[in-house]
Amino acid sequence: MIALITSPEAWAALFTLTALEIVLGIDNVIFLSVVVSGIPPVQARRARQIGLALALVFRILLLSALVWLIGLTRAVVTVQEFAFSWRDIILIAGGLFLIAKATHEIHQEVEARDETRPAASSGAAFFKVIVEIIVIDVVFSLDSIITAIGMAQDLSIMVVAVVIACVVMYAASGPVGRFVAAHPTTKMLALAFLVLIGVALVADGFKFHIPRGYIYFAIAFSTAVEFFNVLARRNRSKGAGH
């Protein structure tokens, strides 16, 4: 352990892996912000805490089962020219779940028929949100940890990087969630991001890798544009008030 603390290579690996894990955690934060936007604020806060705690637990458990996890990358099913591993199957299923969830939410937002349907009970809605968070946490954790294994060889470095990334995700999830809840147009943008991320996961499952840099650049650019739109609307409303 002392050798790791005094090793510049170990610190460089930790910094690089932590930055990557934080970037990969953007997917988690966006999903959390969307799914908790439909429940009361107190429950939303609790759901975010549970979701991020589970994300950390899943990542640590996967790291502690490295041999089993590496086995998930071996082909188990072959369909014509495609050989699928358990990792591929999980990524495809998770991507399809994201696409279906985001498409359903977009449909509800566009149709705006929430008021005419009987609302689900508070407890049932909270339970449904937790189940959805657990499902997607497994998918994102698997993708995150397999990436970590490819970048670092020391387990302690991976664990520290994952813990730091989860702390950053927790710090960011609250402000992002409140911003999405306060500005309905940003929810539509976040749902579009989830469709994009879902497509990328499905593509990964079929061995067609879409560089994440392109996706995160699109997210950053669109978010910046929407942020300026929000500022412009706020300034116009202030001007109309005078």
Side-chain angles (χ1 to χ4, degrees):
M1 190 67 186
I2 295 176
L4 285 174
I5 293 175
T6 57
S7 169
E9 291 81 5
W11 281 101
L14 176 62
F15 177 80
T16 305
L17 184 56
T18 301
L20 181 62
E21 291 294 319
I22 290 172
V23 171
L24 291 174
I26 292 172
D27 304 349
N28 245 130
V29 172
I30 293 174
F31 183 80
L32 280 174
S33 301
V34 170
V35 296
V36 304
S37 63
I39 57 178
V42 174
Q43 287 189 334
R45 182 171 177 270
R46 194 183 314 155
R48 279 197 303 270
Q49 291 173 340
I50 292 173
L52 291 170
L54 288 173
L56 177 60
V57 169
F58 287 146
R59 283 160 168 78
I60 298 297
L61 287 177
L62 288 173
L63 280 174
S64 65
L66 286 182
V67 175
W68 172 79
L69 191 60
I70 292 171
L72 289 180
T73 60
R74 300 194 187 99
V76 293
V77 177
T78 302
V79 180
Q80 294 183 354
E81 71 273 17
F82 293 103
F84 298 99
S85 65
W86 281 115
R87 173 182 179 268
D88 298 329
I89 295 170
I90 292 172
L91 289 180
I92 292 170
L96 292 175
F97 171 77
L98 267 186
I99 294 170
K101 172 66 179 175
T103 303
H104 176 69
E105 291 289 334
I106 289 172
H107 176 75
Q108 287 190 343
E109 291 290 319
V110 173
E111 294 295 327
R113 291 183 297 186
D114 288 346
E115 300 82 8
T116 61
R117 294 177 309 180
S121 68
S122 176
F126 180 75
F127 179 75
K128 179 172 176 286
V129 166
I130 294 301
V131 171
E132 290 175 345
I133 288 172
I134 290 173
V135 169
I136 212 61
D137 266 349
V138 171
V139 177
F140 286 148
S141 295
L142 183 69
D143 199 24
S144 170
I145 295 308
I146 287 179
T147 301
I149 293 171
M151 286 194 62
Q153 284 71 46
D154 193 276
L155 180 61
S156 58
I157 291 176
M158 294 186 223
V159 171
V160 173
V162 164
V163 171
I164 293 173
C166 285
V167 170
V168 173
M169 285 165 55
Y170 180 79
S173 65
V176 171
R178 287 191 292 272
F179 188 81
V180 169
H183 304 90
T185 56
T186 61
K187 182 177 180 180
M188 188 65 74
L189 186 63
L191 289 169
F193 293 158
L194 290 182
V195 173
L196 188 62
I197 293 165
V199 169
L201 290 176
V202 172
D204 274 352
F206 282 97
K207 305 293 192 301
F208 182 79
H209 181 65
I210 301 174
R212 288 296 192 270
Y214 295 147
I215 295 175
Y216 293 132
F217 175 79
I219 291 175
F221 180 79
S222 302
T223 302
V225 171
E226 182 60 23
F227 176 73
F228 287 119
N229 280 335
V230 169
L231 287 180
R233 284 195 297 269
R234 184 178 299 172
N235 290 335
R236 282 197 298 269
S237 64
K238 287 181 180 179
H242 294 300

